[in-house]
Amino acid sequence: MKKQKSPVGKLEHKKEVDILFDTYSESHQNPSNELIHWVCVPLIVFSLLGMIWAIPFPHLAFLGKYNGFVNWASFVIAFSGYYYYRLSPVLSYLMILLIFAAAAVIVQLEKWELAGGPALWLVCAVIFVLSWIGQFIGHKIEGKKPSFLQDVKFLLIGPIWLLHFICLKVGLKY
């Protein structure tokens, strides 16, 4: 926690996650840009997870019947979950729930691919590219560069920044 002076001159302790949200918010003030982020950030998370999920993973015999449940996306989920947990346990739990929902959709896309549909990686790549185009349009409207150009960790902050608004709306302390 860092100490910062409040508007009335008293020292207050701010959590690291709130400091990151404040910094992230600086380039997300325009309502159009914010709306674009509400659509594109979840789609980027979903599509990135799907593209990583689609990378072939070696068969590990020691996993037995659970072999198909571990893939490269598992490591990304573990890393990001740990990072989010260090910032805010509540936000990390909410992200894990959303990741489980995304994983369920990804599994359905895999089934569609096996039934003759498009490749999972291709569907996710198209979503990923279109979502990033949306993000850059949002920042063009905003007139400010994306936060991750300042620090790459803001790529991880965007999703929980959105979640923190939901927490505030429903009165859940994060």
PDB file of all heavy atoms in Angstrom, residues 5 35 38 59 64 80 87 89 92 97 103 121 123 125 147 156 163 168 172:
ATOM      1  N   LYS A   5      -1.678  11.752  -0.456  1.00  0.00           N
ATOM      2  CA  LYS A   5      -2.465  12.816   0.176  1.00  0.00           C
ATOM      3  C   LYS A   5      -3.832  12.886  -0.467  1.00  0.00           C
ATOM      4  O   LYS A   5      -3.965  12.862  -1.676  1.00  0.00           O
ATOM      5  CB  LYS A   5      -1.757  14.161   0.049  1.00  0.00           C
ATOM      6  CG  LYS A   5      -0.707  14.383   1.102  1.00  0.00           C
ATOM      7  CD  LYS A   5      -0.401  15.843   1.228  1.00  0.00           C
ATOM      8  CE  LYS A   5       0.429  16.036   2.477  1.00  0.00           C
ATOM      9  NZ  LYS A   5       0.621  17.424   2.763  1.00  0.00           N
ATOM     10  N   LEU A  35     -17.175   2.259 -23.620  1.00  0.00           N
ATOM     11  CA  LEU A  35     -18.119   1.282 -24.167  1.00  0.00           C
ATOM     12  C   LEU A  35     -17.394   0.264 -25.055  1.00  0.00           C
ATOM     13  O   LEU A  35     -17.642  -0.943 -24.964  1.00  0.00           O
ATOM     14  CB  LEU A  35     -19.220   1.985 -24.962  1.00  0.00           C
ATOM     15  CG  LEU A  35     -20.242   1.076 -25.637  1.00  0.00           C
ATOM     16  CD1 LEU A  35     -21.010   0.247 -24.595  1.00  0.00           C
ATOM     17  CD2 LEU A  35     -21.211   1.903 -26.470  1.00  0.00           C
ATOM     18  N   TRP A  38     -15.735  -2.221 -22.907  1.00  0.00           N
ATOM     19  CA  TRP A  38     -16.656  -3.200 -22.316  1.00  0.00           C
ATOM     20  C   TRP A  38     -16.938  -4.348 -23.279  1.00  0.00           C
ATOM     21  O   TRP A  38     -17.208  -5.473 -22.856  1.00  0.00           O
ATOM     22  CB  TRP A  38     -17.965  -2.536 -21.876  1.00  0.00           C
ATOM     23  CG  TRP A  38     -17.851  -1.917 -20.523  1.00  0.00           C
ATOM     24  CD1 TRP A  38     -17.635  -0.599 -20.237  1.00  0.00           C
ATOM     25  CD2 TRP A  38     -17.923  -2.593 -19.258  1.00  0.00           C
ATOM     26  NE1 TRP A  38     -17.573  -0.423 -18.871  1.00  0.00           N
ATOM     27  CE2 TRP A  38     -17.752  -1.627 -18.249  1.00  0.00           C
ATOM     28  CE3 TRP A  38     -18.127  -3.916 -18.880  1.00  0.00           C
ATOM     29  CZ2 TRP A  38     -17.768  -1.938 -16.894  1.00  0.00           C
ATOM     30  CZ3 TRP A  38     -18.139  -4.234 -17.529  1.00  0.00           C
ATOM     31  CH2 TRP A  38     -17.964  -3.251 -16.557  1.00  0.00           C
ATOM     32  N   HIS A  59       1.121 -35.052 -24.743  1.00  0.00           N
ATOM     33  CA  HIS A  59       0.416 -36.015 -23.890  1.00  0.00           C
ATOM     34  C   HIS A  59       1.314 -36.319 -22.698  1.00  0.00           C
ATOM     35  O   HIS A  59       2.474 -36.681 -22.866  1.00  0.00           O
ATOM     36  CB  HIS A  59       0.112 -37.293 -24.675  1.00  0.00           C
ATOM     37  CG  HIS A  59      -0.572 -38.324 -23.853  1.00  0.00           C
ATOM     38  ND1 HIS A  59      -1.931 -38.275 -23.618  1.00  0.00           N
ATOM     39  CD2 HIS A  59      -0.102 -39.402 -23.184  1.00  0.00           C
ATOM     40  CE1 HIS A  59      -2.267 -39.298 -22.845  1.00  0.00           C
ATOM     41  NE2 HIS A  59      -1.169 -39.996 -22.577  1.00  0.00           N
ATOM     42  N   GLY A  64      -2.972 -39.168 -16.519  1.00  0.00           N
ATOM     43  CA  GLY A  64      -4.017 -40.175 -16.655  1.00  0.00           C
ATOM     44  C   GLY A  64      -5.238 -39.638 -17.375  1.00  0.00           C
ATOM     45  O   GLY A  64      -5.133 -38.981 -18.410  1.00  0.00           O
ATOM     46  N   SER A  80      -1.929 -15.599 -14.559  1.00  0.00           N
ATOM     47  CA  SER A  80      -2.777 -14.417 -14.409  1.00  0.00           C
ATOM     48  C   SER A  80      -3.604 -14.503 -13.125  1.00  0.00           C
ATOM     49  O   SER A  80      -3.793 -13.498 -12.440  1.00  0.00           O
ATOM     50  CB  SER A  80      -3.679 -14.208 -15.627  1.00  0.00           C
ATOM     51  OG  SER A  80      -4.512 -15.319 -15.829  1.00  0.00           O
ATOM     52  N   LEU A  87      -3.197  -8.834  -6.323  1.00  0.00           N
ATOM     53  CA  LEU A  87      -3.799  -7.501  -6.359  1.00  0.00           C
ATOM     54  C   LEU A  87      -5.112  -7.447  -5.584  1.00  0.00           C
ATOM     55  O   LEU A  87      -5.371  -6.487  -4.868  1.00  0.00           O
ATOM     56  CB  LEU A  87      -4.050  -7.060  -7.802  1.00  0.00           C
ATOM     57  CG  LEU A  87      -2.819  -6.774  -8.650  1.00  0.00           C
ATOM     58  CD1 LEU A  87      -3.224  -6.465 -10.078  1.00  0.00           C
ATOM     59  CD2 LEU A  87      -2.006  -5.627  -8.056  1.00  0.00           C
ATOM     60  N   PRO A  89      -7.926 -10.616  -4.076  1.00  0.00           N
ATOM     61  CA  PRO A  89      -8.514 -11.961  -4.109  1.00  0.00           C
ATOM     62  C   PRO A  89      -9.918 -11.977  -4.725  1.00  0.00           C
ATOM     63  O   PRO A  89     -10.213 -12.858  -5.541  1.00  0.00           O
ATOM     64  CB  PRO A  89      -8.534 -12.381  -2.637  1.00  0.00           C
ATOM     65  CG  PRO A  89      -7.378 -11.647  -2.039  1.00  0.00           C
ATOM     66  CD  PRO A  89      -7.380 -10.318  -2.755  1.00  0.00           C
ATOM     67  N   SER A  92      -9.749 -11.705  -8.410  1.00  0.00           N
ATOM     68  CA  SER A  92      -9.179 -12.928  -8.992  1.00  0.00           C
ATOM     69  C   SER A  92     -10.230 -14.029  -9.054  1.00  0.00           C
ATOM     70  O   SER A  92     -10.299 -14.770 -10.035  1.00  0.00           O
ATOM     71  CB  SER A  92      -7.948 -13.397  -8.206  1.00  0.00           C
ATOM     72  OG  SER A  92      -8.295 -13.970  -6.970  1.00  0.00           O
ATOM     73  N   LEU A  97     -13.992 -17.245 -12.496  1.00  0.00           N
ATOM     74  CA  LEU A  97     -15.349 -17.625 -12.927  1.00  0.00           C
ATOM     75  C   LEU A  97     -15.568 -17.283 -14.402  1.00  0.00           C
ATOM     76  O   LEU A  97     -16.137 -18.071 -15.163  1.00  0.00           O
ATOM     77  CB  LEU A  97     -16.404 -16.941 -12.064  1.00  0.00           C
ATOM     78  CG  LEU A  97     -16.528 -17.450 -10.624  1.00  0.00           C
ATOM     79  CD1 LEU A  97     -17.490 -16.569  -9.837  1.00  0.00           C
ATOM     80  CD2 LEU A  97     -16.972 -18.896 -10.604  1.00  0.00           C
ATOM     81  N   ALA A 103     -13.853 -20.868 -21.056  1.00  0.00           N
ATOM     82  CA  ALA A 103     -13.376 -22.222 -21.360  1.00  0.00           C
ATOM     83  C   ALA A 103     -14.520 -23.100 -21.856  1.00  0.00           C
ATOM     84  O   ALA A 103     -14.341 -23.904 -22.779  1.00  0.00           O
ATOM     85  CB  ALA A 103     -12.706 -22.841 -20.135  1.00  0.00           C
ATOM     86  N   TRP A 121      -8.437 -21.931 -33.502  1.00  0.00           N
ATOM     87  CA  TRP A 121      -7.452 -20.858 -33.553  1.00  0.00           C
ATOM     88  C   TRP A 121      -7.863 -19.763 -34.533  1.00  0.00           C
ATOM     89  O   TRP A 121      -7.635 -18.580 -34.289  1.00  0.00           O
ATOM     90  CB  TRP A 121      -6.055 -21.393 -33.903  1.00  0.00           C
ATOM     91  CG  TRP A 121      -5.916 -21.835 -35.332  1.00  0.00           C
ATOM     92  CD1 TRP A 121      -6.090 -23.089 -35.832  1.00  0.00           C
ATOM     93  CD2 TRP A 121      -5.598 -20.999 -36.451  1.00  0.00           C
ATOM     94  NE1 TRP A 121      -5.914 -23.093 -37.197  1.00  0.00           N
ATOM     95  CE2 TRP A 121      -5.603 -21.824 -37.600  1.00  0.00           C
ATOM     96  CE3 TRP A 121      -5.320 -19.644 -36.599  1.00  0.00           C
ATOM     97  CZ2 TRP A 121      -5.331 -21.342 -38.872  1.00  0.00           C
ATOM     98  CZ3 TRP A 121      -5.058 -19.159 -37.875  1.00  0.00           C
ATOM     99  CH2 TRP A 121      -5.061 -19.995 -38.991  1.00  0.00           C
ATOM    100  N   VAL A 123     -11.051 -18.929 -35.536  1.00  0.00           N
ATOM    101  CA  VAL A 123     -12.165 -18.162 -34.962  1.00  0.00           C
ATOM    102  C   VAL A 123     -11.625 -17.160 -33.947  1.00  0.00           C
ATOM    103  O   VAL A 123     -11.976 -15.971 -33.972  1.00  0.00           O
ATOM    104  CB  VAL A 123     -13.202 -19.101 -34.292  1.00  0.00           C
ATOM    105  CG1 VAL A 123     -14.246 -18.303 -33.523  1.00  0.00           C
ATOM    106  CG2 VAL A 123     -13.865 -19.992 -35.331  1.00  0.00           C
ATOM    107  N   ALA A 125      -8.530 -16.019 -33.644  1.00  0.00           N
ATOM    108  CA  ALA A 125      -7.655 -15.018 -34.267  1.00  0.00           C
ATOM    109  C   ALA A 125      -8.472 -13.886 -34.888  1.00  0.00           C
ATOM    110  O   ALA A 125      -8.112 -12.711 -34.763  1.00  0.00           O
ATOM    111  CB  ALA A 125      -6.759 -15.674 -35.316  1.00  0.00           C
ATOM    112  N   SER A 147      -2.861   2.271 -22.367  1.00  0.00           N
ATOM    113  CA  SER A 147      -2.018   2.221 -21.168  1.00  0.00           C
ATOM    114  C   SER A 147      -0.887   1.210 -21.277  1.00  0.00           C
ATOM    115  O   SER A 147       0.185   1.418 -20.725  1.00  0.00           O
ATOM    116  CB  SER A 147      -2.861   1.883 -19.939  1.00  0.00           C
ATOM    117  OG  SER A 147      -3.864   2.832 -19.749  1.00  0.00           O
ATOM    118  N   LEU A 156      -2.994  -6.835 -18.437  1.00  0.00           N
ATOM    119  CA  LEU A 156      -3.675  -7.655 -17.429  1.00  0.00           C
ATOM    120  C   LEU A 156      -4.648  -6.834 -16.590  1.00  0.00           C
ATOM    121  O   LEU A 156      -5.579  -7.389 -16.006  1.00  0.00           O
ATOM    122  CB  LEU A 156      -2.652  -8.321 -16.502  1.00  0.00           C
ATOM    123  CG  LEU A 156      -1.882  -9.492 -17.084  1.00  0.00           C
ATOM    124  CD1 LEU A 156      -0.722  -9.871 -16.180  1.00  0.00           C
ATOM    125  CD2 LEU A 156      -2.785 -10.676 -17.314  1.00  0.00           C
ATOM    126  N   LEU A 163     -14.146  -5.335 -14.160  1.00  0.00           N
ATOM    127  CA  LEU A 163     -14.784  -6.051 -13.048  1.00  0.00           C
ATOM    128  C   LEU A 163     -14.936  -5.173 -11.807  1.00  0.00           C
ATOM    129  O   LEU A 163     -15.909  -5.299 -11.074  1.00  0.00           O
ATOM    130  CB  LEU A 163     -13.993  -7.307 -12.684  1.00  0.00           C
ATOM    131  CG  LEU A 163     -14.165  -8.502 -13.592  1.00  0.00           C
ATOM    132  CD1 LEU A 163     -13.260  -9.636 -13.142  1.00  0.00           C
ATOM    133  CD2 LEU A 163     -15.610  -8.959 -13.633  1.00  0.00           C
ATOM    134  N   LEU A 168     -18.158  -2.276  -7.639  1.00  0.00           N
ATOM    135  CA  LEU A 168     -18.631  -1.012  -7.073  1.00  0.00           C
ATOM    136  C   LEU A 168     -20.144  -0.892  -7.201  1.00  0.00           C
ATOM    137  O   LEU A 168     -20.829  -0.440  -6.269  1.00  0.00           O
ATOM    138  CB  LEU A 168     -17.942   0.172  -7.761  1.00  0.00           C
ATOM    139  CG  LEU A 168     -16.438   0.329  -7.520  1.00  0.00           C
ATOM    140  CD1 LEU A 168     -15.864   1.428  -8.407  1.00  0.00           C
ATOM    141  CD2 LEU A 168     -16.143   0.606  -6.053  1.00  0.00           C
ATOM    142  N   LEU A 172     -19.756  -4.771  -3.724  1.00  0.00           N
ATOM    143  CA  LEU A 172     -18.820  -5.832  -3.324  1.00  0.00           C
ATOM    144  C   LEU A 172     -17.430  -5.233  -3.160  1.00  0.00           C
ATOM    145  O   LEU A 172     -16.887  -4.647  -4.103  1.00  0.00           O
ATOM    146  CB  LEU A 172     -18.808  -6.934  -4.397  1.00  0.00           C
ATOM    147  CG  LEU A 172     -17.930  -8.135  -4.173  1.00  0.00           C
ATOM    148  CD1 LEU A 172     -18.347  -8.886  -2.908  1.00  0.00           C
ATOM    149  CD2 LEU A 172     -17.998  -9.056  -5.389  1.00  0.00           C
TER     150      LEU A 172
END
